[in-house]
Amino acid sequence: MKIAIDTDKCIAAGACVMEAIEVFDQRDEDGVVILLDENPSEDQHDNVRRAAHACPAKAITLQE
Ligand code: SF4
């Protein structure tokens, strides 16, 4: 799995961090998403899929 984020679309909702805290973080200054791991290990894949689904801005794209 490869993850891409679009920080221009991100509205700093934080849903991705709630679902996959090991893969996503948010910038302190404005809450915009930070991708911690663009190739997460297998055990993170379900969390990442939930995060992409939960993102209200559709800012997370997955390549499986
Ligand atoms: S869930 Fe989407 S909009 Fe919210 S912080 Fe994550 S990437 Fe940004």
Side-chain angles (χ1 to χ4, degrees):
M1 172 188 280
K2 190 163 191 314
I3 306 172
I5 54 170
D6 185 339
T7 52
D8 290 337
K9 281 190 188 169
C10 177
I11 56 168
C16 53
V17 181
M18 303 284 277
E19 297 292 350
I21 198 162
E22 292 178 35
V23 179
F24 302 101
D25 198 357
Q26 288 176 277
R27 297 199 300 226
D28 286 340
E29 63 272 30
D30 57 9
V32 167
V33 67
I34 300 168
L35 184 58
L36 300 175
D37 184 356
E38 67 173 10
N39 292 297
S41 57
E42 190 87 30
D43 62 319
Q44 287 296 315
H45 287 188
D46 281 347
N47 292 345
V48 171
R49 287 187 196 106
R50 273 198 296 276
H53 189 71
C55 176
K58 303 274 177 269
I60 302 169
T61 309
L62 305 181
Q63 257 179 23
E64 305 258 6

